[in-house]
Amino acid sequence: AQLGPLWGTGALSGDRSLAAGQAALHASILAELAKGNTVSVAGLSLGTMVIDREIAYLQGLPESAAPPADSVTFSVFGGESRGFGQMYARGVTVPLIGITFHTVPDSRYDTVVVYGQWDGWAAPPDRPWNALAVVNAVMGALYTVNGSNDHSRAAMMSPQDAVLVADITNSLGGRVTTYMIPEASL
């Protein structure tokens, strides 16, 4: 996970770093499947963007070349591309860090999405004209993810704390189950 000049001289741009991560993830998935294992992939923050790029890559493969749908599942915790990227920045490249937000495609693979309440990156307000919602999202991005935007609370909370937000089977047969981890206070 590198974000260009923020990570120092010679660091990869966000897109190049994500591409390297996606290639490594794909190779790991294939290696485990070749051993006869099923695969569960979990990603946190930028790792979720690697997962989303792998899902897009797998969807681009003919069904005969892609891993069987029941052999791979994905879990994303605090995903910026499913939150901020899907809602406000589709197709936009952030100049300094070099990350392009792509549309997350429907997939034949089951995916669990988990985000923390008030996480302004993973769950931005859907009404940007509501000033209070925007302030809550900004404050949430700064404070509820430990001030570092690492989204670790969503990944470390107990499953019984989660609130089911949506459980949808898409047109390709993939089930996307979304959970929100409530915060005691903002």
Side-chain angles (χ1 to χ4, degrees):
Q2 296 180 2
L3 296 174
L6 295 179
W7 263 241
T9 306
L12 297 175
S13 70
D15 283 341
R16 289 182 59 211
S17 179
L18 292 172
Q22 181 272 321
L25 174 59
H26 187 71
S28 294
I29 289 170
L30 294 180
E32 289 303 312
L33 292 174
K35 295 176 190 174
N37 296 324
T38 58
V39 178
S40 294
V41 179
L44 177 67
S45 194
L46 282 174
T48 68
M49 296 178 84
V50 170
I51 287 173
D52 290 337
R53 289 182 185 209
E54 175 65 3
I55 289 171
Y57 177 78
L58 293 173
Q59 283 313 115
L61 295 175
E63 193 164 347
S64 61
D70 62 352
S71 66
V72 182
T73 59
F74 296 98
S75 297
V76 297
F77 297 88
E80 299 90 347
S81 59
R82 290 173 183 268
F84 180 80
Q86 281 290 102
M87 190 155 313
Y88 298 115
R90 281 186 222 172
V92 172
T93 300
V94 180
L96 180 64
I97 59 177
I99 285 185
T100 304
F101 289 99
H102 299 285
T103 300
V104 178
D106 281 346
S107 168
R108 62 180 74 86
Y109 303 98
D110 292 346
T111 306
V112 175
V113 178
V114 181
Y115 64 86
Q117 184 178 16
W118 312 117
D119 181 341
W121 293 113
D126 61 356
R127 296 176 188 98
W129 56 87
N130 182 324
L132 182 57
V134 171
V135 168
N136 275 339
V138 169
M139 297 306 285
L142 294 174
Y143 293 103
T144 62
V145 284
N146 301 324
S148 63
N149 294 318
D150 69 3
H151 310 280
S152 60
R153 285 183 52 83
M156 295 188 304
M157 296 301 285
S158 220
Q160 65 264 23
D161 294 330
V163 174
L164 179 66
V165 175
D167 190 352
I168 299 166
T169 300
N170 64 39
S171 63
L172 300 173
R175 182 177 177 193
V176 180
T177 310
T178 304
Y179 296 95
M180 185 264 305
I181 303 296
E183 291 286 339
S185 64
L186 178 57

